Amino acid sequence: MNDLATPRLSPATLSALADIVGAERVLTDAESAAHYGRDWTRFHTPTPSAVLLPGSIEEVQDIVRLAAREGLAIVPSGGRTGLSAGAVAANGELVIALDRLSSIADFNPVERTVRCGAGVITEQLQQFAEGQGLYYPVDFASAGSSQIGGNISTNAGGIKVIRHGMTRDWVAGLKLVTGTGELLDLNRGLVKNNAGYDLRQLVIGAEGTLGIVVEATMALARPPQDPAVLVLGVPDMGAIMQVLAAYQAKMDLQAFEFFSELALQKVVEHQGLQRPFETPAEYYALLEFEQLTGADMEQAMALFEHCVEQGWVVDGVASQSVAQAESLWRLREDISETISRWTPYKNDISTTVAKVPDFLSEVEQVVNGAYPDFEIVWFGHIGDGNVHLNVLKPDDLPVDEFKQRCGEVSQWVFEIVQRYGGSVSAEHGVGLLKKDYLPYSRSELEIDLMRQIKRAFDPAGIMNPGKIFDA
Amino acid sequence: MKVLVAVKRVVDYNVKVRAKADGSDVDLNNVKMAINPFCEIAVEEAVRLKEAGVASEVVVVSVGEKSCQEQIRTALALGADRGIQVETEGAVEPLVVAKLLKGVVEKEQPQLVILGKQSIDGDNNQTGQMLGALANMAQGTFASEVKVDGDAVSVTREVDGGLQTVKLKLPAIVTTDLRLNEPRYASLPNIMKAKKKQLDVFSPADLGVEVKSHLTQLRVEPPAERQAGIKVASVDELVDKLKNEAKVI
């Protein structure tokens, strides 16, 4: 049980933890530490003192009470697909992995809600909804691994935000174990509840710093009808915004995504996918819309013609089957996974939609100017003002040096973000990776209020300490 | 050289089909329909032959109700030159389809007819072969490679245990297997152009064919639900179960 190089927990503590969850669910081997101790970021070495796999809310509460008594820091862990090192245990913390809280129960067809354990995988909820003739609309590339608890703690966004909003919009209620081990039952599925502060909303996106989300009542939607996907080739960023405006004026889009030619090249090369068309384009826009009647496709075609006439679009394809719609989506959704081999330095930045082109060209100038040897992959949700700037590590550059140079780049990028009134983290959260840059998006007063809120939920300061801001 | 391609409108490959409650048929109400994947490969192959300068014209034909014009338009958007719909009602069995296609072959006199090896709804794998017999044309089925050479075509066939290459004298029939090619996406400009391409509609009577039914569908039922799996505690237990319960080793 003691494979870790530097075991930090006393035998008495380990035995007390084993009493709570069972000895076989207290993991201290190196493999478990690496597996449960970090998310998709690779900039920190995971060093959890132990990984715990509780099987009930009561067990989570018991662990937190023990940790509060002994002053042990906790990192809650879901599907660990985060991109800001929010679920990284790099300082000997206890990791509480919620995988076993995986029940889906109490489906309510009238309310269209269902109760999920924190460990329910996003895709499981999507499939459950489908089985009921409904739809869980928060969707992103890591839906096959990410968990509902983690989605809530990071207020996950994804590819359907333009139509369906973020995770926040689908949480009808949640249960939170606070830093003192108390259980809060927040909002209880109510649609209307103006009786005081909505603490639920405070917990959503708090990255586990206020407590551990152990259960949630999730709302479901009606499924989209016969969704069609277009991929359009666009000559420049300004044109992408024109295309977005043209389509949004006439249609309810489900999604409006963009990616650059370099992103497409990498995906086509490494995932064996087919290019949508051979006409060269700097950028690509991916649109999805429902076909409630045949008129929707007619409208989309008419808009395409208009965009071509205006010079905003050079070519485009339309899905003719569900299989093609899925293949076209992979051009966008596989980007993150594809570029992970270059240890990308990810920026997840946003501004208001209209400012995106100017903002992007300023950022590009800065990065290209300073580091002409870095490859930059742009993609993102753009329809909601959110773009992902990914700087790829040249193969021969050591990680530390790369990270340090990217840190300098980030500073300049974030100065631009600040000037545009944007956000340094649109949907990935802050974690460890972005906390130094939080002041570019939030005022000192705001951050100080956040600290006070954290103290109210977590007086001992044991809940994911050091994430978002330093206490 | 003129190429005739047959396409069928079927339930979209990615849709989970359900049986009707009364078990009379598959429930097609509000279900997404698409071009049969093997037929899509057939269209792609014909279009590639045209792009390579081998084919001079690609004619696409579909047998079915008016709604199958959607799939003909898709084929036209992929690069076929004109379309023919043979209008029929309800389900049509392979022999009838083959007879109707023979009528179209007589009208059009193509040098090459390309069909999918089977459609994913009926899974019959009969139409191409029946057409070959009726029209007295050579056939190369399950093609993974097609090379036209003068008045002959060599077809590499995917057969059990390997590949078989046959050389057929034109006019000939080819049915496509999955590895023949990867169909392209329909480009938006081509989808728009396809709307203006010629599409003729014939009735079976125009082709001198009487639609007769020789088959009756008795019942459609979903596959048995899979039993939940179990976890075994040890290798010994697994081996024991494989030996004594599953009796596979």
Side-chain angles (χ1 to χ4, degrees), chain B residues 6-22:
Chain B
V7 300
K8 184 174 182 186
R9 173 183 169 91
V10 298
V11 173
D12 190 292
Y13 172 71
N14 287 47
V15 168
K16 200 175 159 197
V17 293
R18 290 171 216 276
K20 280 185 183 168
D22 65 2

Side-chain angles (χ1 to χ4, degrees), chain A residues 319-330:
Chain A
S319 63
Q320 301 292 310
S321 62
V322 180
Q324 284 196 349
E326 286 175 4
S327 305
L328 289 171
W329 261 116
R330 283 191 60 195

Side-chain angles (χ1 to χ4, degrees), chain B residues 22-225:
Chain B
D22 65 2
S24 62
D25 206 348
V26 172
D27 189 355
L28 293 182
N29 203 14
N30 261 331
V31 170
K32 171 88 177 163
M33 304 295 279
I35 202 165
N36 176 43
F38 292 102
C39 301
E40 204 178 2
I41 293 168
V43 174
E44 176 68 32
E45 195 63 19
V47 171
R48 286 186 190 185
L49 285 173
K50 191 179 172 197
E51 286 169 347
V54 176
S56 52
E57 188 185 23
V58 176
V59 181
V60 59
V61 56
S62 187
V63 175
E65 294 173 3
K66 185 155 199 246
S67 51
C68 80
Q69 289 190 6
E70 264 180 52
Q71 279 61 46
I72 295 175
R73 292 285 175 206
T74 298
L76 294 174
L78 293 174
D81 297 296
R82 63 188 166 86
I84 295 172
Q85 182 211 354
V86 182
E87 187 143 11
T88 56
E89 275 173 41
V92 189
E93 59 200 52
L95 181 60
V96 176
V97 175
K99 284 180 178 175
L100 292 167
L101 291 179
K102 186 194 165 221
V104 176
V105 165
E106 279 169 1
K107 248 185 182 346
E108 292 289 337
Q109 298 291 325
Q111 289 297 96
L112 192 61
V113 183
I114 312 181
L115 304 90
K117 70 168 182 179
Q118 69 195 71
S119 58
I120 59 166
D121 51 359
D123 270 349
N124 287 305
N125 184 353
Q126 292 174 345
T127 305
Q129 292 89 329
M130 286 175 166
L131 177 60
L134 291 168
N136 198 24
M137 285 160 80
Q139 54 177 291
T141 50
F142 319 139
S144 64
E145 198 180 356
V146 173
K147 271 194 248 166
V148 176
D149 181 16
D151 62 350
V153 56
S154 354
V155 177
T156 304
R157 309 181 59 229
E158 303 215 349
V159 294
D160 286 347
L163 298 173
Q164 178 194 49
T165 305
V166 293
K167 193 166 185 181
L168 315 171
K169 218 174 145 209
L170 295 173
I173 286 170
V174 169
T175 74
T176 61
D177 217 319
L178 274 185
R179 276 163 288 270
L180 179 57
N181 61 48
E182 191 184 356
R184 69 195 66 191
Y185 295 106
S187 86
L188 286 157
N190 288 342
I191 292 173
M192 286 188 290
K193 279 184 214 147
K195 286 182 187 170
K196 296 182 188 108
K197 287 184 180 173
Q198 183 186 342
L199 199 170
D200 298 315
V201 182
F202 297 116
S203 69
D206 294 337
L207 302 169
V209 177
E210 195 187 339
V211 177
K212 270 193 291 192
S213 177
H214 309 82
L215 298 169
T216 312
Q217 182 167 289
L218 298 179
R219 203 170 64 230
V220 171
E221 53 187 285
E225 293 230 3

